[in-house]
Every structure is written in structure tokens, then in C-alpha cells.
Amino acid sequence: MDVDTQIEGPSRVPKPHELLWFSDGNVVLATDTYLFKVHKSLLALHSSVFRDMFELPNVGHGDPIPGQGDAGAASEAYEGVPMVTLIGDKGEDVAHLLRAVFGPDYYNRDDDDTPLETIVALLPLSTKYDFKVVRKNVILHISRHYAMTLQEYDALYIKKAPMFGKARNQCHFPLLAAAVTANVDVLLPGLFLACSEFSVREIFSNTQSMPRETLCKLVDGREAMAYVKCELISFLAERLRRYDASGECLLETPCLEEAYVWDIGDVVIASLGDVIGEKAADNYLSPVCKGCSSFVARTIDEEREG
């Protein structure tokens, strides 16, 4: 037996997509797994990249498309119809994009049940091919689930509702990767904050396919947030001292004399939503009177918002 013989499986041949194959289509888009027979006019209407591509005389004649980088390359015709190969794009991802373009009911930015894989596919591809309307809708959809202000963050943290068909914490890293790839700066602060609340091990595990710069920003942000949270809690005694000086403590033996901060190490791994007024006073300060506790909670909230 020839032990050096290498057996290879059959290569996968792209097949026509069962839905995105229109009999009157006049261009075929080829990917690794699917062929899509669609209409040039509609693609050109929604995408400046495809509009410029179709204006070139060599599309469908086997030559590379000049000036398009890795967006696409012309190849032989398919059953008499010009065919363009979308280089580097997965068939399933392109299907999500084309269904959003050719089927308006497929993607609704107000529908929180839109699958995560659809959102993750649409953001980079709508950017790459300049589908402005699709891109704008996806960005708006994602932004509804990530905070731009502390008040929005607290509301989302308390709610903890599922999104895109999954638990919130399963969405953060895939969406961050998509936003980084698509250069959507407006989404990055909320996504970086959400991802920074994971452990270092989880951050490294979930950013392996992302640029090193993204990992560095996440780790730096996590350290900065840990410092801020620890600072909020470590000064609990100083806040209590200010209140005690006013003589308003309700106990005969002032709370300050016996109060202490505990479990401060847990603050490092706590979410920002856990380091909030009353909750922080209850979790990290030994039992004190109602007046002292309320004062400490108020000062935490004031400094947190500042």
C-alpha cells in the first residue's frame, strides 16, 4: 500500500441559491458556496461599488476588475450571463446581504429577533460594497442595544434583555469584530465597554481573529475601568467621615468607628452596573445606619455620574 498517497475530498462547486436565483436576472455573483443570479440595475441602484463595477466594459470577459481591490473579479460567463466572483466573501454572508436588498421584509431594524449572524454579516458587507441604506439601518439597530450615556447603560444593564436571538453577553464580541472590520466608530465605545467587562481570559479567547490593536484597547480599557471602580469603593470610609463630621449619624456609637470596606477585590471583576449607589453601599460597606448608608449611596452616584 502506498502510504504517501494523499486522499483529498471533492472540491466544493458553488451552486445556484434556491431563493436568490431570478430567471430574468442579468448577472451572476459567485461565492465559495453559492451562485446568485440577480439584477444589475437593482445592485447599481443601491451600491456605488456595483454601479462602478458594471460600468466597466470587461465585466464578464475574464479579466480582473481594475480599481476594485478585493471587492470582485470578473470571470467567464455562466450560462450566457456575465459572472462576477466576490473574492473573500462567504456565500451565506452574501445571501444575508442580497436578501436585505432584494427582499425588504427580510431585515427590519425594529425587529430584535433578527439573528445575530445576519447582523454580523450585513455590517461589514454593506460597508465593503457601499450599500448605504442597509449599513445605516444595521448601525441604528445595533446602537439601540448599546449605551452612549451612563443613564442608558444603567437602563440596559438592569433590563438585560436578549437581543438578536441570543443572550446579550453572547453578542458583544461578534458585534465588536463586525464593527471593527466595517470601521463603524460610532458603535465602538459601547461595544468596547461591554466586552471589557469580561475576564482577561475571555477577552483573549474572543479576540483571536481581531486586530492586535483591538485587543490592546480592550485590555487597557478594562484596566482603566477597574481603577475607576476601585476608586469609587475605596473612598467609602472617607465619604462616611464627611457625613460623621456633620453629626448626622443616627447611632450612639458613630458608624465611622466600626464601619469597614470588604470584598473590594471583587470590584475589579464587577460590572459598572453593580457599582452603583445603594447596591455598592450594601455590597462593599459593612452594615451602617440608614442615614450613613443613604449618604454614601448618594455620593457614589454623584461621583459615578461626574
Side-chain angles (χ1 to χ4, degrees):
M1 183 175 65
D2 185 0
V3 295
D4 293 328
T5 301
Q6 206 171 25
I7 301 176
E8 297 183 358
S11 59
R12 298 183 65 180
V13 177
K15 60 181 181 180
H17 193 274
E18 59 182 12
L19 294 177
L20 296 161
W21 186 266
F22 303 107
S23 59
D24 59 346
N26 53 7
V27 67
V28 172
L29 305 181
T31 64
D32 56 342
T33 54
Y34 290 118
L35 301 174
F36 306 94
K37 189 177 181 182
V38 291
H39 304 92
K40 286 184 181 181
S41 58
L42 278 178
L43 289 176
L45 178 65
H46 293 283
S47 163
S48 65
V49 172
F50 279 107
R51 182 174 64 248
D52 294 344
M53 188 185 300
F54 295 146
E55 288 177 355
L56 297 170
N58 60 339
V59 174
H61 296 281
D63 298 323
I65 299 175
Q68 293 302 324
D70 63 352
S75 64
E76 296 179 359
Y78 184 90
E79 297 181 351
V81 178
M83 182 167 70
V84 176
T85 299
L86 303 183
I87 300 172
D89 298 327
K90 296 180 180 179
E92 288 292 346
D93 292 347
V94 174
H96 287 304
L97 177 64
L98 294 178
R99 291 185 70 179
V101 174
F102 288 91
D105 295 334
Y106 176 69
Y107 171 65
N108 183 340
R109 72 168 183 261
D110 295 323
D111 182 5
D112 288 339
D113 291 329
T114 302
L116 178 64
E117 56 267 24
T118 299
I119 299 295
V120 170
L122 287 177
L123 190 56
L125 279 183
S126 64
T127 299
K128 178 179 179 180
Y129 292 106
D130 194 31
F131 284 91
K132 287 184 172 63
V133 174
V134 174
R135 185 177 190 271
K136 178 182 177 181
N137 287 344
V138 174
I139 292 173
L140 286 173
H141 198 163
I142 296 173
S143 67
R144 293 172 57 233
H145 297 278
Y146 290 91
M148 295 297 288
T149 66
L150 183 61
Q151 290 75 19
E152 290 175 353
Y153 171 89
D154 288 339
L156 288 169
Y157 184 78
I158 293 171
K159 189 177 180 183
K160 290 184 178 179
M163 58 184 187
F164 308 133
K166 295 184 180 294
R168 283 187 61 83
N169 61 4
Q170 293 180 303
C171 299
H172 303 323
F173 284 102
L175 290 174
L176 176 62
V180 168
T181 300
N183 295 314
V184 185
D185 293 342
V186 70
L187 294 176
L188 294 182
L191 288 166
F192 271 122
L193 175 59
C195 292
S196 71
E197 295 186 333
F198 287 75
S199 69
V200 173
R201 180 182 294 274
E202 289 173 308
I203 289 175
F204 272 84
S205 175
N206 285 284
T207 57
Q208 292 181 7
S209 62
M210 298 187 209
R212 183 178 180 83
E213 181 183 1
T214 301
L215 171 61
C216 292
K217 285 182 179 179
L218 262 178
V219 174
D220 289 345
R222 186 179 187 277
E223 290 182 354
M225 287 301 301
Y227 175 81
V228 169
K229 290 181 290 186
C230 286
E231 188 176 41
L232 279 171
I233 301 305
S234 63
F235 283 99
L236 285 176
E238 179 59 32
R239 296 185 186 92
L240 202 57
R241 185 174 291 108
R242 297 204 306 266
Y243 188 68
D244 182 69
S246 68
E248 297 185 49
C249 181
L250 301 178
L251 301 183
E252 182 176 346
T253 301
C255 292
L256 178 63
E257 294 187 15
E258 298 182 353
Y260 58 91
V261 176
W262 58 7
D263 288 338
I264 194 168
D266 290 344
V267 179
V268 176
I269 59 175
S271 296
L272 183 61
D274 290 323
V275 187
I276 187 172
E278 185 176 348
K279 183 186 292 187
D282 290 343
N283 289 343
Y284 303 110
L285 183 65
S286 63
V288 294
C289 73
K290 185 176 180 180
C292 288
S293 178
S294 296
F295 176 78
V296 168
R298 287 198 306 273
T299 57
I300 289 175
D301 286 339
E302 289 169 1
E303 293 180 26
R304 191 170 175 266
E305 293 178 4

